[in-house]
Amino acid sequence: MNSTCQISLINQPILADWQREKLVQIHEGKVYIYLPVSDKFPLQNIQKAARSIEKMGVDTATLVGELWSEDTQWAFALGFTCAEKLTSVEFTGEKSCVDSLNNKLAVFGWARDLTNQTPTQLPPESLAKSAIDYITAQAPDKVTAKVIAGEALEKEGWVGIYNVGKGSIHPPCLLELDFNPSKAEKTPVSTCLVGKGITFDSGGYSIKSNAGMFNMKADMGGAAVVAGALALAIRQGLNQRVKLILCCAENMISSHAYKLSDILTYKNGVTCEVANTDAEGRIVLADGLLLAAESEPAMIIDAATLTGASVMATGGDYSALFSLDQKLADQAKLTAKAVNEPLWQLPLEIWHQEKCPSEFADTANSRPIPGGGPGGASNAAGFLSRFVPNEGKGWLHFDLSAAYNGNSNRLWAAGATGLGIATIANLLTSEPSK
C-alpha cells in the first residue's frame, strides 16, 4: 500500500464477487469504503473502516469524491489517526468545511499528543506551560496567564493541589489562564473551564497495582480536553471571556507525601478527611472549582478522568455527565449529539454530598473500600458539588471515561481520543438554552 492513499466513499459496491459486501474494498489499486444507504451506524462503520485502512500501512489518507460530508470525514479522521500520525488526513469539499475539519484535527492532534506524552516528558509545570503556549498562539494579544507553584500553593490556601503534589520532586501548580477578547478588565467571565491535570498517578499510599498504574500518564486527560476545547472555540470565533483553570500535580509516594487520615481545610471552610490517596482528582478539582467561583461566571465546566466507576457504567464508550442543573445538562447532551460525541448522564442529587462520610471532618474524599463502593462516580460528583456556587446552577461535570484507550480496538488507535473537546467547545460558542 502506498504511503499516501486516496479514499472514496461509495454506497454501491465496487466489486461484484464475494467481496461485494465488505466494508473496505480495494480495486485496481484504489481504496473504497462501502456504506449502503440503509446502514444504521454509518459514522461508526466509517471509523471502523478507517482503522482497517490505517493498519494497511497508509501514512496519509486523502479523502476524495462527492459523498463525503463533514460528519463522515470527521468519523474517518478519528478512526485513522493514531499516535504517530495525528493529523495525517486531507479533507475534501467546500472551503468552509475543510477549514472547520482542519481546525478540529489540529486541536485534537495537539490535545491527544499532550495526553500521550510520558510522565517524565510532562511534569506538572510543563503541562501548564504547554497549555499557555498553545492557547496564546491562537490569540496572542487576548490571553494572560498566572501560575502558582510549589510552596506558594499552600501559602495561598490551595490545599488540595498542594497536598496531592507535595510528595513529588516535580512541584504541583495551579494555572489560571484568561482569554479576554475585549481586553477590558471588567468584562464578565462567561465560563470557567476546570481540568484535572494529574500528570502521573501512582495512587499515593493507596498505591495502584502495576496494571492499574500503567496508563496513568493519561490522568491529565481532563486538562488536555478543556485546554483543547478553549483552543478550538477560539478558532471557531469565540467572543466571550473564558478562564481556563488547570489543577496540575503528580501523585507520588515519598516521606513528604500526603497520607490517609490527613484532614484538609479548603478555602470555603469545608474540611476533608483523606480516606483514599488514589481519589486525588476530586481533591485537586475542589481547588479549581473554588477559584472558578471567584470569577462569578455564568457557567463552570470541569473535566476529569475521575473514576473507574464511570468506566464500569459506560463501558468506556461514553463520557459521563453530571449536573445539578438539568436544563444545562440537557443542553450539553444535545450539543454532544450534534457533534457526535457519546455522552451519558448519570445520577447526581445534592444528597450525594453525604455519601462519603467522615467521623472527623465535614466529608471524606471517598470511602475506604475498593472503587469507593456503589455509586462511586456519583459520589465523586457529589463531593465536587460542595465546591461550586449557586447550589450547582450553571455547573457541568464531565467524567471522561472515554478519554483514553490503553490498547487499540475496532474504532480507536491506542492512546488519547480527544472526546469531549468538540462538545465543550460548542458549549462555549453557543447561546445558553432558555
Side-chain angles (χ1 to χ4, degrees):
M1 186 64 63
N2 294 331
S3 59
T4 300
C5 185
Q6 292 188 344
I7 316 293
S8 300
L9 184 63
I10 56 175
N11 53 31
Q12 294 293 329
I14 201 73
L15 302 170
D17 58 15
W18 61 272
Q19 299 182 72
R20 62 175 282 113
E21 300 300 326
K22 290 179 71 69
L23 181 60
V24 178
Q25 302 187 7
I26 302 173
H27 181 61
E28 295 181 350
K30 297 180 180 179
V31 178
Y32 302 86
I33 297 176
Y34 169 47
L35 196 73
V37 175
S38 61
D39 195 304
K40 295 181 179 179
F41 306 102
L43 300 183
Q44 188 177 86
N45 283 329
I46 287 173
Q47 188 171 343
K48 183 163 56 173
R51 283 291 329 120
S52 298
I53 291 168
E54 188 277 322
K55 291 177 182 178
M56 295 175 185
V58 175
D59 290 331
T60 300
T62 302
L63 306 184
V64 297
E66 297 180 356
L67 293 185
W68 289 107
S69 67
E70 186 166 345
D71 285 347
T72 55
Q73 290 187 81
W74 185 243
F76 181 92
L78 292 178
F80 182 82
T81 50
C82 58
E84 298 80 18
K85 35 191 165 183
L86 286 167
T87 57
S88 300
V89 180
E90 296 176 0
F91 300 108
T92 187
E94 298 290 334
K95 184 178 184 299
S96 60
C97 171
V98 172
D99 288 347
S100 174
L101 288 165
N102 280 330
N103 279 331
K104 284 179 74 174
L105 191 64
V107 171
F108 269 65
W110 173 79
R112 292 169 74 184
D113 180 65
L114 192 70
T115 307
N116 290 341
Q117 290 184 34
T118 71
T120 301
Q121 291 173 314
L122 195 73
E125 288 181 301
S126 294
L127 171 57
K129 183 178 186 304
S130 295
I132 293 169
D133 291 348
Y134 189 70
I135 295 171
T136 301
Q138 314 306 315
D141 61 336
K142 299 173 182 176
V143 175
T144 57
K146 174 185 178 182
V147 177
I148 305 169
E151 300 299 320
L153 288 164
E154 184 180 36
K155 291 177 183 177
E156 296 193 28
W158 303 116
V159 297
I161 300 169
Y162 173 73
N163 276 277
V164 169
K166 71 181 183 178
S168 171
I169 61 170
H170 301 294
C173 66
L174 173 62
L175 165 65
E176 183 179 21
L177 181 147
D178 187 358
F179 170 74
N180 187 1
S182 73
K183 303 180 186 177
E185 185 176 344
K186 294 186 178 180
T187 299
V189 176
S190 171
T191 304
C192 281
L193 302 174
V194 182
K196 174 186 171 183
I198 301 297
T199 56
F200 185 73
D201 182 17
S202 71
Y205 278 105
S206 305
I207 192 167
K208 293 179 181 289
S209 66
N210 183 76
M213 204 185 301
F214 185 70
N215 291 321
M216 284 301 105
K217 66 179 183 181
D219 212 17
M220 39 62 63
V225 163
V226 288
L230 178 54
L232 181 57
I234 293 170
R235 287 183 175 227
Q236 293 174 338
L238 178 65
N239 58 13
Q240 301 292 317
R241 186 177 185 182
V242 174
K243 286 190 175 183
L244 173 72
I245 297 167
L246 300 187
C247 310
C248 307
E250 190 176 57
N251 187 18
M252 300 292 285
I253 295 172
S254 74
S255 61
H256 196 47
Y258 80 133
K259 303 170 185 69
L260 295 160
S261 78
D262 280 351
I263 293 179
L264 313 180
T265 302
Y266 284 96
K267 281 195 167 190
N268 65 346
V270 171
T271 56
C272 169
E273 182 181 18
V274 179
N276 184 351
T277 62
D278 194 23
E280 84 298 328
R282 65 202 74 177
I283 292 178
V284 302
L285 283 175
D287 279 340
L289 293 170
L290 289 171
L291 178 57
E294 291 181 4
S295 295
E296 299 182 346
M299 183 165 60
I300 297 175
I301 300 173
D302 78 71
T305 50
L306 200 65
T307 65
S310 71
V311 179
M312 294 296 290
T314 66
D317 298 309
Y318 292 78
S319 293
L321 175 69
F322 299 85
S323 184
L324 294 170
D325 185 336
Q326 192 55 50
K327 184 180 290 187
L328 185 59
D330 290 342
Q331 182 184 352
K333 289 186 286 185
L334 288 172
T335 301
K337 186 174 182 179
V339 297
N340 301 305
E341 289 193 333
L343 183 67
W344 197 265
Q345 187 175 4
L346 292 178
L348 178 62
E349 300 289 349
I350 199 70
W351 44 260
H352 279 103
Q353 291 184 358
E354 308 301 326
K355 285 288 189 172
C356 297
S358 167
E359 296 288 343
F360 302 97
D362 296 326
T363 183
N365 69 320
S366 183
R367 283 183 280 176
I369 52 179
S378 294
N379 298 343
F383 176 89
L384 293 179
S385 72
R386 291 175 175 271
F387 302 92
V388 295
N390 306 319
E391 298 182 330
K393 183 175 176 57
W395 169 58
L396 295 172
H397 164 51
F398 288 78
D399 196 333
L400 300 174
S401 33
Y404 186 88
N405 294 302
N407 299 293
S408 61
N409 57 43
R410 63 193 184 94
L411 294 177
W412 296 96
T417 65
L419 288 178
I421 291 175
T423 298
I424 296 172
N426 279 29
L427 285 168
L428 294 178
T429 56
S430 62
E431 291 293 325
S433 59
K434 302 298 183 183

